[in-house]
């Protein structure tokens, strides 16, 4: 990421700059035009040669939006701003992704366009978005409280009309009770209904339709008709008032929105818990040798910092002194604390649990794994699946149809009873609001993506969950996927009279300074068996011949060689895996047979996929015999070795042409074309450049079982989506006819609308709890 150096130079935000976005006025947006400010919520997408301006991708939170029509309006305002290339806004998360050209525009320009459209843009960073969300929740709670209190009082004054026979209460008392209801309804209309009226008025000025327009019309019509009945008891609308229906459906609508807001905050809070995991400052070693606490924005590659117990690591780095346990659960899904000592790597955002350590900074800013993970999660929170895009496109035409249906129903009923005709129109306006329909898909997708992130799987595109649910074939790469990027010692052949422990000590003496994977495996085996630590062999004159092996002399003058059969003067034989030979002046001493380190859960993961009815294949660039051996170990029958990336892609295309939905699981290092060509793909391995990969899912944890679990979660997600869409359709199929024939009063319509939206969100939140058997 080119933003790394800039991120490390950012100044501390204080004063007006820190408070600017909270003010919410257009003038404050000018402060965000400074590069140090927009780097807080943006990342560069490209940097063309020749000094041309770069394109940036910014993540923004929008206040005042409630539905898919709001999202479409914001997207239209953004895309109409010169210099904005792309704009995607999620109705479920209220977050948006804006791609803009630095040479043609600045954040203030497209933020002002959103403000003119009637919504409050806020950079998605720091505590500012959280503070804005908390303020919105508090204000919503106040509106709900006023509506609830007034509703109870209005119902008290309306109750006599329901429980007494006509004429039992005198006209003066009836008139007095109506005036009491009118007075109590005024705070509801002026305060609790304010967001609906404000948004509807803004929509009318801009000649557009949103979900607040029919709701506001319903509230206004109900209040006006009831007021006319109060002022003129003998007039056209004087026989009945509907203040109780008005206050009840306002209360139900606000209760539904408040609960949706609380549930959405839980999802947003989980993302912000990750985004704001880094500490504000850290102890850095000065040139004089002392320690000074500095902002993490001042860190550079090569700095040495001291991280205390309970603090998060501020950057990717290598431990220079000390040892500790590290919690990486939020970043990798690894729930068990991991031991980290001198020479071992730690990642930014993980927590130091037990002891202070000194750390050399290797990566800062946007180059850290932490920053790449945050970027992927933010990208997923603003992406929209195909089903959600369809709902967004249908939202505005549907609302126009709702207005027409309400007008026609009112015209039909008007000759019989004008008051009832207007209230039937109100019920239609309220009951048909497509909030549940617009929330059905994105709410489920976001809840599922959040649950997967907790388990160490990042979803780059929400659409991938829908695709994965239909996959019936999974193709695995071998090296780095089914196996680790390392070897393990399988067995040792020994010269007669040579103890196993001695052979390991001699081989380890030559191998411990080599970087070759086979040498590292032998040295690790010697450490694990304890022989090397008990009586290590000292060597001198060590030299390594590339592709052959290592030669050295022991302190007692013995010349040793470790390497290939030819290097050690022995005829090459056949073996399933790599073999390293040890020899001295007298000849061959030992042969160390190694095998690839198979992941512990590889066989279980393959069996889980097969049990789910998924065809599993192995395509590998390694030798056919090595691929076949791994296939036998994990239970994959269809194995093809010696494949180039082009041949892997051709095999993938052939399966797709036969009608299979194919998922590819690779290590991401040389499988880019295959990962891009598959219907859905997983990049497996910690070394993958997360933000540049082709995969739809990035597996952070070192567990293959996550593949099968993600497949189950995707199928479960689509079941929930179908349930949500089915409920939204059934609710409208039942509610609209009831409202049109006058069997659904306005308060019941409001209750039904709020309950349907809430039910959809609660059903989606079931996906936030991952289940092994799901």
């Amino acid at each position: 990421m080119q933003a790394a150096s800039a991120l490390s130079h950012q100044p501390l935000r204080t004063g007006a700059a820190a408070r600017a976005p909270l003010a919410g006025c257009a003038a404050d947006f000018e402060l965000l035009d400074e590069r140090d400010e927009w780097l807080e919520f943006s990342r560069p997408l490209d940097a063309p040669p020749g000094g041309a301006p770069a394109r940036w991708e910014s993540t923004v939170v929008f206040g005042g939006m409630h539905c898919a029509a709001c999202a479409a309006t914001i997207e239209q305002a953004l895309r109409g701003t010169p210099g904005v290339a792309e704009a995607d806004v999620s109705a479920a998360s209220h977050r948006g992704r804006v791609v803009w050209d630095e040479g043609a525009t600045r954040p203030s320009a497209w933020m002002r366009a959103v403000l003119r459209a009637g919504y409050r843009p806020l950079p998605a960073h720091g505590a500012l978005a959280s503070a804005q969300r908390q303020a919105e929740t508090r204000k919503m709670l106040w509106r709900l409280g006023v509506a609830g209190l007034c509703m109870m009082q209005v119902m008290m004054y309306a109750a006599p009309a329901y429980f007494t026979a006509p004429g039992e209460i005198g006209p003066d008392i009836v008139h007095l009770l109506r005036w009491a209801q009118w007075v109590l309804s005024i705070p509801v209309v002026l305060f609790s209904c304010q967001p609906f009226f404000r948004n509807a008025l803004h929509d009318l000025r801009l000649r557009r339709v949103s979900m607040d327009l029919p709701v506001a019309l319903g509230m206004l019509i109900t209040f006006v008709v009831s007021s006319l009945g109060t002022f003129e008891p003998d007039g056209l609308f004087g026989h009945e008032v509907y203040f109780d229906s008005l206050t009840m459906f306002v209360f139900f609508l606000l209760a539904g929105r408040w609960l949706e807001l609380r549930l959405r905050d839980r999802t947003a809070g989980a993302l912000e818990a990750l985004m704001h995991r880094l500490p504000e400052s850290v102890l850095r070693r000065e040139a004089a040798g002392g320690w000074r606490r500095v902002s993490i924005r001042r860190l550079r590659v090569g700095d040495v910092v001291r991280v205390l117990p309970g603090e998060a690591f501020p950057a990717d780095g290598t431990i220079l002194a000390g040892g500790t346990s590290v919690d990486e659960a939020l970043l990798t899904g690894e729930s068990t604390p991991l031991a980290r000592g001198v020479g071992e790597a730690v990642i930014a955002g993980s927590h130091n649990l037990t002891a202070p350590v000194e750390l050399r900074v290797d990566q800062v800013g946007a180059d850290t794994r932490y920053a790449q993970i945050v970027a992927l999660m933010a990208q997923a929170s603003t992406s929209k699946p195909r089903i959600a895009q369809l709902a967004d496109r249908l939202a505005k035409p549907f609302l126009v149809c709702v207005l027409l249906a309400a007008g026609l129903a009112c015209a039909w009923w008007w000759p019989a009873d004008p008051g009832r005709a207007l209230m039937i129109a109100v019920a239609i306006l309220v009951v048909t609001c497509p909030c549940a329909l617009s929330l059905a898909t994105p709410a489920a997708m976001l809840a599922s993506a959040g649950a997967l992130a907790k388990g160490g799987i990042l979803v780059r595109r929400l659409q991938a969950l829908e695709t994965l649910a239909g996959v019936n074939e999974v193709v695995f790469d071998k090296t780095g996927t089914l196996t680790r990027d390392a070897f393990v010692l399988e067995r040792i052949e020994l010269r007669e009279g040579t103890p196993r422990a001695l052979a390991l000590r001699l081989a380890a003496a030559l191998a411990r300074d080599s970087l070759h994977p086979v040498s590292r495996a032998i040295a690790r085996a010697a450490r694990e068996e304890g022989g090397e630590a008990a009586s290590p062999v000292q060597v001198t004159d060590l030299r390594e011949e590339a592709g052959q092996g290592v030669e050295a002399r022991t302190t007692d003058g013995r010349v040793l060689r470790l390497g290939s059969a030819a290097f050690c003067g022995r005829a090459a034989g056949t073996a399933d895996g790599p073999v390293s030979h040890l020899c001295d002046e007298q000849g061959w001493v030992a042969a160390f047979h190694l095998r690839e380190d198979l992941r512990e859960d590889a066989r279980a993961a393959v069996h889980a996929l097969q049990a789910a009815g998924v065809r599993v294949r192995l395509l590998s660039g390694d030798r056919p015999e090595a691929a076949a051996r791994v296939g036998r170990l994990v239970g994959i029958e269809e194995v093809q070795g010696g494949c180039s990336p082009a041949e892997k892609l051709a095999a993938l295309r052939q399966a797709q042409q036969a009608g299979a939905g194919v998922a590819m699981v690779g290590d991401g290092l040389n499988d880019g074309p295959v990962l891009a060509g598959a219907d859905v793909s997983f990049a497996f391995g910690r070394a993958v450049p997360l933000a540049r990969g082709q995969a739809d899912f990035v597996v952070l944890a070192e567990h293959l079982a996550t593949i099968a679990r993600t497949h189950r979660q995707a199928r479960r997600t689509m079941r929930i989506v179908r349930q949500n869409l089915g409920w939204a359709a059934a609710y409208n199929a039942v509610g609209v006819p009831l409202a049109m024939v006058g069997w659904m009063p306005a308060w019941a319509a409001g209750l039904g609308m709020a309950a349907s939206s809430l039910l959809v969100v609660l059903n989606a939140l079931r996906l936030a709890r991952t289940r092994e058997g799901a």
Side-chain angles (χ1 to χ4, degrees):
M1 294 284 184
Q2 287 106 346
S5 59
L7 279 170
S8 62
H9 287 77
Q10 290 178 33
L12 288 172
R13 292 163 53 86
T14 57
R19 294 188 300 270
L22 280 177
C25 65
D28 293 324
F29 295 142
E30 300 291 346
L31 295 170
L32 298 176
D33 288 345
E34 299 177 14
R35 182 179 292 253
D36 283 346
E37 295 295 332
W38 82 56
L39 278 169
E40 290 275 358
F41 60 99
S42 309
R43 67 184 185 94
L45 289 182
D46 51 42
R55 292 198 316 158
W56 294 82
E57 180 183 81
S58 300
T59 305
V60 188
V61 176
F62 298 101
M65 65 176 293
H66 302 287
C67 61
C70 297
T73 299
I74 295 172
E75 288 176 355
Q76 184 177 358
L78 287 169
R79 290 168 184 165
T81 305
V84 174
E86 300 175 33
D88 295 298
V89 180
S90 169
S93 66
H94 294 201
R95 300 171 70 90
R97 168 182 168 270
V98 184
V99 177
W100 51 281
D101 191 333
E102 183 180 349
T105 188
R106 286 291 190 273
S108 62
W110 48 263
M111 283 191 172
R112 280 197 297 266
V114 174
L115 196 63
R116 285 194 297 270
Y119 302 92
R120 300 182 302 280
L122 192 69
H125 66 79
L128 297 176
S130 178
Q132 175 73 13
R133 212 173 54 248
Q134 290 173 4
E136 186 178 354
T137 303
R138 284 195 299 268
K139 191 175 291 184
M140 180 70 76
L141 192 58
W142 271 106
R143 298 188 195 280
L144 175 63
V146 169
L149 180 63
C150 293
M151 177 196 70
M152 290 187 291
Q153 298 300 315
V154 168
M155 286 299 299
M156 182 179 69
Y157 290 116
Y162 291 102
F163 298 109
T164 58
E168 190 172 343
I169 303 179
D172 292 342
I173 301 299
V174 170
H175 194 52
L176 182 62
L177 291 174
R178 287 185 178 186
W179 275 102
Q181 294 175 55
W182 180 79
V183 170
L184 288 167
S185 298
I186 289 178
V188 177
V189 172
L190 296 182
F191 180 66
S192 297
C193 296
Q194 187 183 28
F196 303 103
F197 291 144
R198 183 178 60 242
N199 294 339
L201 183 60
H202 199 79
D203 290 339
L204 292 174
R205 287 173 179 169
L206 297 177
R207 297 180 181 179
R208 70 187 184 202
V209 178
S210 75
M211 292 182 194
D212 278 335
L213 182 58
V215 171
L217 278 175
M219 294 173 179
L220 185 61
I221 291 171
T222 305
F223 183 72
V224 170
V225 168
S226 300
S227 297
L228 290 175
T230 302
F231 299 154
E232 298 181 7
D234 299 325
L236 185 64
F237 305 105
H239 70 282
E240 190 173 358
V241 295
Y242 306 94
F243 293 116
D244 54 340
S245 294
L246 170 66
T247 53
M248 284 180 71
F249 84 71
V250 169
F251 174 76
F252 290 142
L253 289 179
L254 288 174
R257 288 200 174 180
W258 178 72
L259 288 171
E260 286 177 32
L261 189 64
R262 289 293 305 271
L263 296 173
R264 177 168 54 87
D265 285 351
R266 286 175 53 184
T267 304
L271 176 58
E272 288 180 359
L274 176 63
M275 294 178 70
H276 312 310
R277 194 173 172 88
L278 295 185
E280 288 293 327
S281 62
V282 67
L283 291 171
R284 184 179 66 183
R285 180 184 289 168
E286 299 295 300
W291 299 95
R292 181 185 176 190
R293 186 164 290 277
V294 299
S295 166
I296 64 168
R297 298 183 182 90
R298 298 181 183 177
L299 290 183
R300 310 288 191 278
V301 173
D303 283 351
V304 176
V305 299
R306 191 164 188 252
V307 182
L308 303 177
E311 291 183 340
F313 289 99
D316 291 353
T318 304
I319 294 179
L320 300 180
T324 187
S325 294
V326 176
D327 176 14
E328 297 181 357
L330 197 58
L331 299 175
T332 67
E334 181 61 62
S335 58
T336 305
L338 305 173
R340 292 287 185 260
V342 174
E344 294 187 295
V346 293
I347 57 177
S350 58
H351 266 100
N352 181 11
L353 296 179
T354 56
V357 293
E358 294 180 16
L359 181 77
R360 183 187 67 238
V361 174
D362 296 332
Q363 300 285 352
V364 296
D367 285 339
T368 62
R369 279 175 53 85
Y370 166 82
Q372 294 167 6
I373 290 170
V374 168
L376 288 185
M377 291 189 70
Q379 177 182 344
S381 71
T382 57
S383 66
K384 286 193 281 190
R386 279 194 298 263
I387 299 178
Q389 292 171 5
L390 177 62
D392 289 357
R393 288 196 298 271
L394 294 177
K396 286 192 175 182
F398 182 82
L399 287 171
V400 173
C401 292
V402 166
L403 294 173
L404 290 175
L408 291 174
C410 182
W412 174 265
W413 283 94
W414 186 271
D417 187 342
R420 190 181 184 195
L422 288 172
M423 294 312 298
I424 287 174
V426 168
I428 294 172
L429 289 173
V430 175
V431 79
T432 54
C433 240
C435 292
L437 188 64
S438 66
L439 288 172
T441 299
M445 295 285 189
L446 286 172
S448 190
L452 289 171
K454 293 178 183 177
I457 309 114
L458 293 185
V459 183
R460 295 192 67 196
R461 296 185 306 110
L462 292 182
Q463 178 61 44
L465 286 168
E466 181 183 349
T467 307
L468 181 61
V471 159
N472 53 16
E473 183 172 321
V474 174
V475 176
F476 282 95
D477 180 41
K478 180 179 71 69
T479 306
T481 304
L482 291 172
T483 65
R484 302 184 191 276
D485 295 321
F487 297 102
V488 292
L489 182 62
E490 187 173 35
R491 61 188 177 89
I492 305 176
E493 290 183 62
L494 298 168
R495 183 173 66 188
E496 187 177 352
T498 303
R500 175 187 173 93
L502 175 62
L504 266 176
R505 287 202 307 272
L506 293 174
L510 276 68
R512 60 182 167 228
D513 294 322
S514 173
L515 298 178
H516 195 280
V518 170
S519 296
R520 292 205 302 268
I522 293 173
R524 185 170 60 251
R527 288 196 303 270
E528 290 173 354
E529 295 197 15
E532 183 192 16
S535 53
V537 176
Q538 302 299 324
V539 296
T540 59
D541 302 329
L542 187 143
R543 64 182 182 87
E544 184 169 359
E545 293 189 20
Q548 295 297 317
V550 182
E551 180 181 287
R553 184 184 299 274
T554 65
T555 52
D556 59 4
R558 188 177 181 182
V559 177
L560 300 174
R561 280 189 169 190
L562 178 69
S564 65
F567 187 62
C568 293
R570 184 175 174 85
T574 59
D576 289 337
V579 180
S580 185
H581 296 269
L582 176 69
C583 66
D584 57 13
E585 299 95 331
Q586 300 176 15
W588 177 83
V589 175
F592 301 91
H593 292 258
L594 298 104
R595 60 173 173 82
E596 290 180 287
D597 187 10
L598 195 70
R599 295 187 186 275
E600 301 87 357
D601 60 347
R603 188 175 184 86
V606 169
H607 285 179
L609 287 169
Q610 292 170 338
V614 177
R615 178 187 178 191
V616 182
R617 300 171 62 194
L618 173 59
L619 298 179
S620 174
D622 204 351
R623 295 173 294 112
E625 55 272 20
R629 177 179 178 274
V630 170
R632 288 194 303 272
L633 290 173
V634 300
I636 300 178
E637 296 181 0
E638 297 183 63
V639 178
Q640 186 176 343
C643 299
S644 66
E647 289 170 334
K648 288 184 181 180
L649 185 58
L652 208 69
R653 296 293 189 210
Q654 185 178 1
Q656 290 171 327
Q657 290 170 4
V662 183
M664 177 68 194
V665 186
D667 63 357
L669 299 177
N670 58 358
D671 293 321
V674 193
L675 293 173
D679 294 293
V680 65
S681 54
F682 292 80
F684 200 91
R686 296 168 64 92
V688 178
L690 296 179
R692 304 177 197 143
Q694 298 292 334
D696 300 301
F697 298 90
V698 176
V699 182
L700 301 176
E702 295 291 316
H703 305 298
L704 270 174
T706 56
I707 307 298
R709 188 166 72 246
T710 304
H711 182 253
R712 291 195 300 271
Q713 181 78 352
R715 289 185 171 181
R716 187 173 169 228
T717 300
M718 294 314 298
R719 286 199 301 271
I720 296 293
V721 167
R722 286 191 290 269
Q723 291 170 8
N724 283 349
L725 291 174
W727 162 253
Y731 158 73
N732 279 282
V734 173
V736 172
L738 290 177
M740 295 188 76
V741 299
W743 292 352
M744 178 175 284
W747 67 266
L751 178 59
M753 176 190 168
S756 63
S757 299
L758 189 59
L759 182 64
V760 162
V761 175
L762 289 174
N763 193 36
L765 283 179
R766 292 165 52 203
L767 292 164
R769 302 187 300 273
T770 54
R771 302 182 308 183
E772 286 301 316

